Amino acid sequence: MAVRAVRGAVQLERDEAGHMGERVGELLTAVLERNGLVADDLISVWFTATPDLRSDFPAAAARGLGVVDVPLICAQELDVDGAMPRVVRILAHVETYLSRAEIQHVYLGATAALRKDIAQ
């Protein structure tokens, strides 16, 4: 078993707590499903949000999915001119038998344009 990092991102349509919970929950669920993982495989998860998202902590979505004993942290993305607005990114550290090449990084919707090199 190895420790691997899985990336992902989702763009929100609006800055509302309920909407953030839905979209971030969808992202985290997709990361787990596409990589054959369960919550017990999570070591830690970093969430970042663009500065225009202030309605809630993205990590609250993970807690809402039942991820209660995994260290989670939220941070703000750099405020770069021209960057895609309303984006939440994740960096999940997981225990898995997958090789680095087998990891499925998940960029939902328009965020696929952020990392064309690794978006699935």
Side-chain angles (χ1 to χ4, degrees), residues 33-81:
E33 288 177 354
R34 292 186 194 180
N35 289 286
L37 301 168
V38 295
D40 283 345
D41 298 322
L42 294 169
I43 297 169
S44 64
V45 184
W46 281 81
F47 295 86
T48 65
T50 52
D52 51 2
L53 295 175
R54 296 178 203 78
S55 62
D56 202 359
F57 296 100
R63 298 291 186 227
L65 291 174
V67 179
V68 295
D69 62 349
V70 175
L72 308 175
I73 192 165
C74 297
Q76 188 176 79
E77 281 287 332
L78 295 173
D79 192 9
V80 176
D81 288 338

Side-chain angles (χ1 to χ4, degrees), residues 6 10 23 25 41 54 65 68 91 93 98 105 114 120:
V6 186
V10 64
R23 297 294 286 153
D41 298 322
R54 296 178 203 78
L65 291 174
V68 295
L91 173 62
H93 300 97
L98 295 174
H105 303 283
L114 295 172
Q120 303 297 321

